[in-house]
Amino acid sequence: MADIEEHTRRLAAESLSSDDPTGWFERLYAQAERGETAVPWDRGAPHQLLAEWSAGLRGEGRRALVVGCGYGADAEHLAGLGFRTDAFDVSATAVDGARRRFPGSPVHYAVADLLEPPGERAGAYDLVVESLTVQSLPDTLRGQAIAAVRRFVAPGGTLLVIASARGEGPVEGPPWPLTRAEVESFSGEDLQAARIEAIPAEADPAVVRWRAEFRRSDRPASSTS
Ligand SMILES: C[S@@+](CC[C@H](N)C(=O)[O-])C[C@H]1O[C@@H](n2cnc3c(N)ncnc32)[C@H](O)[C@@H]1O
C-alpha cells in the first residue's frame, strides 16, 4: 500500500506542477482500470462514519447528493436509505466504474467538476455528503471547493462532511487533512454547524477524522422577515 500511496502522490505532484490540480484523479482511475495500480481510497463499502451517522435515517421523499463519489459506495448507501440520490465525480472513469459496479442502480451518476458546479444543483438537496474530496484538493482551491459544496444544500437541508484531521507537523499530501478552522468554514450564508466531532480511528487512535454536520435554515439568507 505504501507504493500505491507513493505512486498516487507522484501523479498528484505532476498534475499540480502542470497547473492541472484535478487531472491526476482521472489518470489514477484509468491506470487502476488497466490493472496498473489501485485506488487507495476504494473501500468497496460506505465510509464507516457515514454508515454510523445515517443508521435509522429514512430518505423517502428527499434528495441527496454525493460530491466526489468515486466508485459510488456512499451514494448507493444513501439510495438504499430511500433518498433520491445524485452523485458526481470529476473522473469519467470513476463514474463508469460506479455504474458498472452497481448495474440497475437508482443513483443518478454524472461527470462534473465541483469547481465548476452546474447551477441547477444549487439549493437542490436535503442531504449533501462530502467525504474526503475537499482534502484531496490543494490549499489554493479549498475555499472555492468548500463554497461550492455549501451551495448545494436546500433550505432546511443538511451537509455532512467527513475528512481526516490535520495533526502536528508538515503534511505531504494528498491528502491534505483539514484543520478545525477549515471544517468550520463550511458554515456560512445561512448554513450553520450543528455538530463537529473529532473521532479517533479504531485501528489507530492517533489518526483522527472529522465528522461534521451543518444545517441550512428553512428561510433563505436574503429573507427579511
Ligand atoms: C479521496 S477521493 C474520495 C472518494 C469518495 N468520496 C470516498 O470517500 O471514497 C476524492 C474523489 O473526489 C473526486 N474529485 C476530486 N476533485 C473533484 C472535483 N473538482 N470535482 C468532482 N470530483 C472531484 C476524485 O476523482 C475522487 O473520486
mmCIF file of all heavy atoms in Angstrom, residues 22 25-26 29 41-43 47 66-71 74 88-91 94 112-115 130-133 135-137, ligand 1:
data_model
loop_
_atom_site.group_PDB
_atom_site.id
_atom_site.type_symbol
_atom_site.label_atom_id
_atom_site.label_comp_id
_atom_site.label_asym_id
_atom_site.label_seq_id
_atom_site.Cartn_x
_atom_site.Cartn_y
_atom_site.Cartn_z
ATOM 1 N N THR A 22 -6.695 18.808 -10.737
ATOM 2 C CA THR A 22 -7.611 17.660 -10.613
ATOM 3 C C THR A 22 -7.366 16.588 -11.688
ATOM 4 O O THR A 22 -8.001 15.535 -11.651
ATOM 5 C CB THR A 22 -9.091 18.109 -10.682
ATOM 6 O OG1 THR A 22 -9.313 18.766 -11.930
ATOM 7 C CG2 THR A 22 -9.446 19.056 -9.545
ATOM 8 N N PHE A 25 -6.729 12.662 -10.894
ATOM 9 C CA PHE A 25 -7.755 11.686 -10.479
ATOM 10 C C PHE A 25 -8.112 10.789 -11.658
ATOM 11 O O PHE A 25 -8.154 9.572 -11.511
ATOM 12 C CB PHE A 25 -9.005 12.406 -9.954
ATOM 13 C CG PHE A 25 -8.768 13.172 -8.697
ATOM 14 C CD1 PHE A 25 -8.641 14.553 -8.703
ATOM 15 C CD2 PHE A 25 -8.644 12.506 -7.489
ATOM 16 C CE1 PHE A 25 -8.409 15.249 -7.542
ATOM 17 C CE2 PHE A 25 -8.408 13.200 -6.313
ATOM 18 C CZ PHE A 25 -8.284 14.578 -6.339
ATOM 19 N N GLU A 26 -8.366 11.398 -12.818
ATOM 20 C CA GLU A 26 -8.706 10.590 -13.997
ATOM 21 C C GLU A 26 -7.537 9.663 -14.357
ATOM 22 O O GLU A 26 -7.742 8.490 -14.661
ATOM 23 C CB GLU A 26 -9.071 11.506 -15.173
ATOM 24 C CG GLU A 26 -9.320 10.776 -16.480
ATOM 25 C CD GLU A 26 -10.402 9.698 -16.417
ATOM 26 O OE1 GLU A 26 -11.313 9.776 -15.569
ATOM 27 O OE2 GLU A 26 -10.311 8.731 -17.219
ATOM 28 N N TYR A 29 -7.566 6.710 -11.837
ATOM 29 C CA TYR A 29 -8.659 5.756 -12.066
ATOM 30 C C TYR A 29 -8.420 4.978 -13.368
ATOM 31 O O TYR A 29 -8.706 3.783 -13.440
ATOM 32 C CB TYR A 29 -10.005 6.478 -12.126
ATOM 33 C CG TYR A 29 -10.597 6.843 -10.777
ATOM 34 C CD1 TYR A 29 -10.687 8.161 -10.358
ATOM 35 C CD2 TYR A 29 -11.094 5.860 -9.923
ATOM 36 C CE1 TYR A 29 -11.252 8.501 -9.133
ATOM 37 C CE2 TYR A 29 -11.669 6.188 -8.688
ATOM 38 C CZ TYR A 29 -11.750 7.512 -8.296
ATOM 39 O OH TYR A 29 -12.311 7.831 -7.085
ATOM 40 N N TRP A 41 -8.304 4.987 -1.878
ATOM 41 C CA TRP A 41 -9.467 5.216 -1.022
ATOM 42 C C TRP A 41 -10.630 4.280 -1.359
ATOM 43 O O TRP A 41 -11.725 4.441 -0.818
ATOM 44 C CB TRP A 41 -9.918 6.673 -1.129
ATOM 45 C CG TRP A 41 -10.091 7.127 -2.549
ATOM 46 C CD1 TRP A 41 -11.181 6.901 -3.347
ATOM 47 C CD2 TRP A 41 -9.143 7.858 -3.331
ATOM 48 N NE1 TRP A 41 -10.961 7.451 -4.590
ATOM 49 C CE2 TRP A 41 -9.720 8.055 -4.615
ATOM 50 C CE3 TRP A 41 -7.875 8.369 -3.085
ATOM 51 C CZ2 TRP A 41 -9.063 8.734 -5.632
ATOM 52 C CZ3 TRP A 41 -7.235 9.046 -4.109
ATOM 53 C CH2 TRP A 41 -7.814 9.228 -5.364
ATOM 54 N N ASP A 42 -10.411 3.303 -2.243
ATOM 55 C CA ASP A 42 -11.507 2.403 -2.632
ATOM 56 C C ASP A 42 -11.740 1.378 -1.524
ATOM 57 O O ASP A 42 -11.012 0.406 -1.393
ATOM 58 C CB ASP A 42 -11.149 1.709 -3.948
ATOM 59 C CG ASP A 42 -12.217 0.712 -4.376
ATOM 60 O OD1 ASP A 42 -13.351 0.796 -3.846
ATOM 61 O OD2 ASP A 42 -11.918 -0.140 -5.230
ATOM 62 N N ARG A 43 -12.788 1.600 -0.736
ATOM 63 C CA ARG A 43 -13.091 0.694 0.379
ATOM 64 C C ARG A 43 -14.083 -0.382 -0.021
ATOM 65 O O ARG A 43 -14.300 -1.339 0.712
ATOM 66 C CB ARG A 43 -13.719 1.488 1.556
ATOM 67 C CG ARG A 43 -12.871 2.570 2.138
ATOM 68 C CD ARG A 43 -13.670 3.387 3.163
ATOM 69 N NE ARG A 43 -14.846 3.988 2.552
ATOM 70 C CZ ARG A 43 -14.843 5.182 1.947
ATOM 71 N NH1 ARG A 43 -13.756 5.891 1.870
ATOM 72 N NH2 ARG A 43 -15.953 5.655 1.415
ATOM 73 N N HIS A 47 -18.390 4.793 3.749
ATOM 74 C CA HIS A 47 -17.495 5.193 4.833
ATOM 75 C C HIS A 47 -18.167 4.870 6.173
ATOM 76 O O HIS A 47 -19.358 5.143 6.377
ATOM 77 C CB HIS A 47 -17.205 6.698 4.738
ATOM 78 C CG HIS A 47 -16.007 7.103 5.535
ATOM 79 N ND1 HIS A 47 -16.003 7.097 6.916
ATOM 80 C CD2 HIS A 47 -14.770 7.496 5.155
ATOM 81 C CE1 HIS A 47 -14.807 7.481 7.344
ATOM 82 N NE2 HIS A 47 -14.043 7.727 6.290
ATOM 83 N N VAL A 66 -24.039 13.181 -3.484
ATOM 84 C CA VAL A 66 -22.694 12.802 -3.037
ATOM 85 C C VAL A 66 -21.684 13.480 -3.964
ATOM 86 O O VAL A 66 -21.713 13.298 -5.177
ATOM 87 C CB VAL A 66 -22.510 11.267 -3.034
ATOM 88 C CG1 VAL A 66 -21.072 10.911 -2.649
ATOM 89 C CG2 VAL A 66 -23.485 10.632 -2.061
ATOM 90 N N VAL A 67 -20.814 14.261 -3.349
ATOM 91 C CA VAL A 67 -19.792 15.037 -4.068
ATOM 92 C C VAL A 67 -18.533 14.179 -4.181
ATOM 93 O O VAL A 67 -18.120 13.560 -3.204
ATOM 94 C CB VAL A 67 -19.479 16.304 -3.228
ATOM 95 C CG1 VAL A 67 -18.300 17.064 -3.798
ATOM 96 C CG2 VAL A 67 -20.713 17.201 -3.119
ATOM 97 N N GLY A 68 -17.908 14.125 -5.352
ATOM 98 C CA GLY A 68 -16.670 13.344 -5.499
ATOM 99 C C GLY A 68 -16.931 11.896 -5.126
ATOM 100 O O GLY A 68 -16.276 11.331 -4.254
ATOM 101 N N CYS A 69 -17.881 11.268 -5.842
ATOM 102 C CA CYS A 69 -18.450 9.986 -5.394
ATOM 103 C C CYS A 69 -17.540 8.787 -5.625
ATOM 104 O O CYS A 69 -17.801 7.709 -5.096
ATOM 105 C CB CYS A 69 -19.778 9.743 -6.089
ATOM 106 S SG CYS A 69 -19.621 9.660 -7.899
ATOM 107 N N GLY A 70 -16.477 8.949 -6.461
ATOM 108 C CA GLY A 70 -15.621 7.797 -6.730
ATOM 109 C C GLY A 70 -16.437 6.642 -7.280
ATOM 110 O O GLY A 70 -17.277 6.823 -8.172
ATOM 111 N N TYR A 71 -16.238 5.448 -6.722
ATOM 112 C CA TYR A 71 -16.917 4.259 -7.229
ATOM 113 C C TYR A 71 -18.335 4.077 -6.660
ATOM 114 O O TYR A 71 -18.958 3.052 -6.878
ATOM 115 C CB TYR A 71 -16.098 3.016 -6.918
ATOM 116 C CG TYR A 71 -14.818 2.880 -7.725
ATOM 117 C CD1 TYR A 71 -13.610 2.614 -7.098
ATOM 118 C CD2 TYR A 71 -14.833 2.977 -9.123
ATOM 119 C CE1 TYR A 71 -12.435 2.455 -7.822
ATOM 120 C CE2 TYR A 71 -13.658 2.820 -9.858
ATOM 121 C CZ TYR A 71 -12.469 2.557 -9.209
ATOM 122 O OH TYR A 71 -11.315 2.387 -9.937
ATOM 123 N N ASP A 74 -20.846 5.309 -1.182
ATOM 124 C CA ASP A 74 -21.639 6.192 -0.304
ATOM 125 C C ASP A 74 -22.991 6.522 -0.948
ATOM 126 O O ASP A 74 -24.024 6.567 -0.269
ATOM 127 C CB ASP A 74 -20.878 7.497 -0.017
ATOM 128 C CG ASP A 74 -19.672 7.286 0.891
ATOM 129 O OD1 ASP A 74 -19.584 6.216 1.529
ATOM 130 O OD2 ASP A 74 -18.816 8.188 0.955
ATOM 131 N N PHE A 88 -21.711 12.769 -8.236
ATOM 132 C CA PHE A 88 -20.855 13.151 -9.363
ATOM 133 C C PHE A 88 -19.396 13.059 -8.992
ATOM 134 O O PHE A 88 -19.026 13.099 -7.810
ATOM 135 C CB PHE A 88 -21.215 14.550 -9.888
ATOM 136 C CG PHE A 88 -20.804 15.697 -8.999
ATOM 137 C CD1 PHE A 88 -19.545 16.273 -9.119
ATOM 138 C CD2 PHE A 88 -21.678 16.213 -8.061
ATOM 139 C CE1 PHE A 88 -19.165 17.348 -8.315
ATOM 140 C CE2 PHE A 88 -21.308 17.283 -7.247
ATOM 141 C CZ PHE A 88 -20.048 17.856 -7.378
ATOM 142 N N ASP A 89 -18.597 12.958 -10.034
ATOM 143 C CA ASP A 89 -17.147 12.914 -9.852
ATOM 144 C C ASP A 89 -16.514 13.553 -11.083
ATOM 145 O O ASP A 89 -17.055 13.487 -12.188
ATOM 146 C CB ASP A 89 -16.657 11.469 -9.706
ATOM 147 C CG ASP A 89 -15.287 11.393 -9.037
ATOM 148 O OD1 ASP A 89 -14.279 11.711 -9.712
ATOM 149 O OD2 ASP A 89 -15.227 11.048 -7.842
ATOM 150 N N VAL A 90 -15.338 14.140 -10.874
ATOM 151 C CA VAL A 90 -14.631 14.772 -11.993
ATOM 152 C C VAL A 90 -14.032 13.722 -12.927
ATOM 153 O O VAL A 90 -13.735 14.015 -14.085
ATOM 154 C CB VAL A 90 -13.538 15.728 -11.440
ATOM 155 C CG1 VAL A 90 -12.362 14.963 -10.875
ATOM 156 C CG2 VAL A 90 -13.094 16.742 -12.472
ATOM 157 N N SER A 91 -13.872 12.487 -12.453
ATOM 158 C CA SER A 91 -13.260 11.427 -13.256
ATOM 159 C C SER A 91 -14.336 10.599 -13.971
ATOM 160 O O SER A 91 -15.156 9.923 -13.322
ATOM 161 C CB SER A 91 -12.422 10.503 -12.363
ATOM 162 O OG SER A 91 -12.179 9.287 -13.028
ATOM 163 N N ALA A 94 -14.047 6.931 -13.062
ATOM 164 C CA ALA A 94 -14.652 6.586 -11.768
ATOM 165 C C ALA A 94 -16.162 6.427 -11.923
ATOM 166 O O ALA A 94 -16.761 5.468 -11.411
ATOM 167 C CB ALA A 94 -14.339 7.677 -10.734
ATOM 168 N N ALA A 112 -18.880 15.608 -13.344
ATOM 169 C CA ALA A 112 -18.982 17.057 -13.143
ATOM 170 C C ALA A 112 -17.846 17.496 -12.241
ATOM 171 O O ALA A 112 -17.282 16.699 -11.486
ATOM 172 C CB ALA A 112 -20.329 17.422 -12.522
ATOM 173 N N ASP A 113 -17.524 18.777 -12.356
ATOM 174 C CA ASP A 113 -16.415 19.340 -11.589
ATOM 175 C C ASP A 113 -16.970 20.223 -10.476
ATOM 176 O O ASP A 113 -17.699 21.183 -10.749
ATOM 177 C CB ASP A 113 -15.535 20.169 -12.548
ATOM 178 C CG ASP A 113 -14.254 20.654 -11.891
ATOM 179 O OD1 ASP A 113 -14.137 20.556 -10.647
ATOM 180 O OD2 ASP A 113 -13.376 21.136 -12.620
ATOM 181 N N LEU A 114 -16.624 19.880 -9.268
ATOM 182 C CA LEU A 114 -17.049 20.674 -8.106
ATOM 183 C C LEU A 114 -16.618 22.139 -8.247
ATOM 184 O O LEU A 114 -17.270 23.032 -7.717
ATOM 185 C CB LEU A 114 -16.422 20.067 -6.833
ATOM 186 C CG LEU A 114 -16.642 20.810 -5.526
ATOM 187 C CD1 LEU A 114 -18.126 20.866 -5.168
ATOM 188 C CD2 LEU A 114 -15.851 20.147 -4.400
ATOM 189 N N LEU A 115 -15.524 22.350 -8.958
ATOM 190 C CA LEU A 115 -15.002 23.717 -9.081
ATOM 191 C C LEU A 115 -15.741 24.506 -10.163
ATOM 192 O O LEU A 115 -15.563 25.706 -10.292
ATOM 193 C CB LEU A 115 -13.498 23.676 -9.368
ATOM 194 C CG LEU A 115 -12.700 22.927 -8.285
ATOM 195 C CD1 LEU A 115 -11.252 22.735 -8.711
ATOM 196 C CD2 LEU A 115 -12.765 23.662 -6.959
ATOM 197 N N GLU A 130 -20.152 15.157 1.625
ATOM 198 C CA GLU A 130 -18.802 15.400 1.091
ATOM 199 C C GLU A 130 -17.840 14.586 1.947
ATOM 200 O O GLU A 130 -17.643 14.851 3.124
ATOM 201 C CB GLU A 130 -18.519 16.911 1.117
ATOM 202 C CG GLU A 130 -17.115 17.408 1.423
ATOM 203 C CD GLU A 130 -15.941 16.654 0.791
ATOM 204 O OE1 GLU A 130 -16.127 15.837 -0.115
ATOM 205 O OE2 GLU A 130 -14.818 16.868 1.247
ATOM 206 N N SER A 131 -17.281 13.545 1.358
ATOM 207 C CA SER A 131 -16.397 12.651 2.095
ATOM 208 C C SER A 131 -15.041 12.587 1.390
ATOM 209 O O SER A 131 -14.948 12.059 0.269
ATOM 210 C CB SER A 131 -17.029 11.254 2.179
ATOM 211 O OG SER A 131 -16.097 10.333 2.700
ATOM 212 N N LEU A 132 -14.041 13.198 1.969
ATOM 213 C CA LEU A 132 -12.631 13.072 1.552
ATOM 214 C C LEU A 132 -12.272 13.784 0.244
ATOM 215 O O LEU A 132 -11.161 13.624 -0.243
ATOM 216 C CB LEU A 132 -12.217 11.589 1.430
ATOM 217 C CG LEU A 132 -12.629 10.637 2.549
ATOM 218 C CD1 LEU A 132 -12.094 9.238 2.267
ATOM 219 C CD2 LEU A 132 -12.169 11.106 3.906
ATOM 220 N N THR A 133 -13.209 14.553 -0.327
ATOM 221 C CA THR A 133 -12.896 15.208 -1.603
ATOM 222 C C THR A 133 -12.163 16.524 -1.401
ATOM 223 O O THR A 133 -11.123 16.769 -2.032
ATOM 224 C CB THR A 133 -14.182 15.418 -2.432
ATOM 225 O OG1 THR A 133 -14.725 14.142 -2.720
ATOM 226 C CG2 THR A 133 -13.900 16.145 -3.733
ATOM 227 N N GLN A 135 -10.338 17.466 0.968
ATOM 228 C CA GLN A 135 -8.967 17.256 1.463
ATOM 229 C C GLN A 135 -8.035 16.730 0.359
ATOM 230 O O GLN A 135 -6.824 16.706 0.544
ATOM 231 C CB GLN A 135 -8.964 16.304 2.652
ATOM 232 C CG GLN A 135 -9.262 14.856 2.296
ATOM 233 C CD GLN A 135 -9.148 13.925 3.486
ATOM 234 O OE1 GLN A 135 -9.539 14.270 4.593
ATOM 235 N NE2 GLN A 135 -8.607 12.746 3.269
ATOM 236 N N SER A 136 -8.609 16.317 -0.746
ATOM 237 C CA SER A 136 -7.761 15.855 -1.845
ATOM 238 C C SER A 136 -7.417 16.993 -2.810
ATOM 239 O O SER A 136 -6.729 16.771 -3.806
ATOM 240 C CB SER A 136 -8.436 14.698 -2.591
ATOM 241 O OG SER A 136 -9.539 15.155 -3.326
ATOM 242 N N LEU A 137 -7.890 18.190 -2.500
ATOM 243 C CA LEU A 137 -7.564 19.367 -3.306
ATOM 244 C C LEU A 137 -6.579 20.239 -2.541
ATOM 245 O O LEU A 137 -6.663 20.341 -1.309
ATOM 246 C CB LEU A 137 -8.839 20.160 -3.599
ATOM 247 C CG LEU A 137 -9.876 19.420 -4.458
ATOM 248 C CD1 LEU A 137 -11.201 20.157 -4.482
ATOM 249 C CD2 LEU A 137 -9.344 19.209 -5.867
HETATM 250 C C1 LIG B 1 -10.152 10.930 -1.982
HETATM 251 S S1 LIG B 1 -11.330 10.525 -3.161
HETATM 252 C C2 LIG B 1 -12.768 10.177 -2.159
HETATM 253 C C3 LIG B 1 -13.812 9.415 -2.904
HETATM 254 C C4 LIG B 1 -15.088 9.142 -2.104
HETATM 255 N N1 LIG B 1 -15.758 10.357 -1.718
HETATM 256 C C5 LIG B 1 -14.768 8.316 -0.890
HETATM 257 O O1 LIG B 1 -15.000 8.765 0.239
HETATM 258 O O2 LIG B 1 -14.296 7.200 -1.076
HETATM 259 C C6 LIG B 1 -11.742 12.093 -3.865
HETATM 260 C C7 LIG B 1 -12.709 11.967 -5.028
HETATM 261 O O3 LIG B 1 -13.100 13.259 -5.436
HETATM 262 C C8 LIG B 1 -13.034 13.346 -6.840
HETATM 263 N N2 LIG B 1 -12.768 14.762 -7.130
HETATM 264 C C9 LIG B 1 -11.635 15.448 -6.905
HETATM 265 N N3 LIG B 1 -11.757 16.723 -7.296
HETATM 266 C C10 LIG B 1 -13.013 16.841 -7.781
HETATM 267 C C11 LIG B 1 -13.731 17.908 -8.357
HETATM 268 N N4 LIG B 1 -13.173 19.109 -8.519
HETATM 269 N N5 LIG B 1 -14.998 17.692 -8.743
HETATM 270 C C12 LIG B 1 -15.558 16.461 -8.599
HETATM 271 N N6 LIG B 1 -14.929 15.409 -8.071
HETATM 272 C C13 LIG B 1 -13.661 15.592 -7.669
HETATM 273 C C14 LIG B 1 -11.917 12.408 -7.238
HETATM 274 O O4 LIG B 1 -11.981 11.979 -8.570
HETATM 275 C C15 LIG B 1 -12.109 11.281 -6.238
HETATM 276 O O5 LIG B 1 -13.001 10.305 -6.714
#
